Amino acid sequence: MTLLETILFTLVFIAALYGIYYAWLWILRKMSAKMVDSDKMNEDIRKVEVIDVREPAEFDANHVLGARNIPISQFKMRFNEIRRDKEIYLYDDNLNYASRAANILRKDGFKNIHILKGGFSNWTGKTKSNIK
């Protein structure tokens, strides 16, 4: 194999791995949660648990008003803080963390799990920043 062929093969292999990873996340989302748009989440926000699964620095920079931060890096240790008697709305920036968090909750028997379609960038409701 020439160097060019090796590089091309490596790039195709990496692209295939990314494709498999994103397919796996899509399957997790389908099995674990329903996708909701910003309007539906805004409509229900006072009667549900809204969880931001981004890391604290991102949460502090800007987040949905009324959301709690349980970062994905701590989610397996802290998801028991979430009430089981309410619907759960999860969000992050690009649906990767929210999909993984929804799967953790589903495996533990949580019901009525939702993920904000398009992530935080699609949120049209009120936001809050903890940075002064």
Side-chain angles (χ1 to χ4, degrees), residues 52-69 91-93 119-132:
D52 184 325
V53 295
R54 299 176 300 162
E55 294 302 314
E58 296 168 291
F59 178 81
D60 289 342
N62 201 14
H63 60 271
V64 171
L65 183 64
R68 293 176 43 211
N69 184 223
Y91 73 90
D92 64 358
D93 285 327
F120 182 68
S121 60
N122 281 5
W123 176 245
T124 57
K126 294 180 181 178
T127 61
K128 180 180 179 183
S129 174
N130 293 340
I131 298 176
K132 300 191 190 253

Side-chain angles (χ1 to χ4, degrees), residues 15 26-27 34 37 43 50 55-56 72 84-85 88 105 113 127 131-132:
W26 180 82
I27 291 167
K34 296 175 189 162
D37 62 17
E43 180 182 308
V50 179
E55 294 302 314
I72 194 65
R84 290 179 180 271
D85 62 332
I88 301 160
L105 294 174
I113 305 165
T127 61
I131 298 176
K132 300 191 190 253

Side-chain angles (χ1 to χ4, degrees), residues 88-127:
I88 301 160
Y89 283 61
L90 302 167
Y91 73 90
D92 64 358
D93 285 327
N94 57 17
L95 307 179
N96 295 344
Y97 296 159
S99 299
R100 290 172 40 204
N103 192 50
I104 291 167
L105 294 174
R106 178 191 58 83
K107 284 182 177 180
D108 199 62
F110 281 81
K111 306 288 185 218
N112 296 318
I113 305 165
H114 308 276
I115 297 174
L116 177 61
K117 193 183 299 181
F120 182 68
S121 60
N122 281 5
W123 176 245
T124 57
K126 294 180 181 178
T127 61

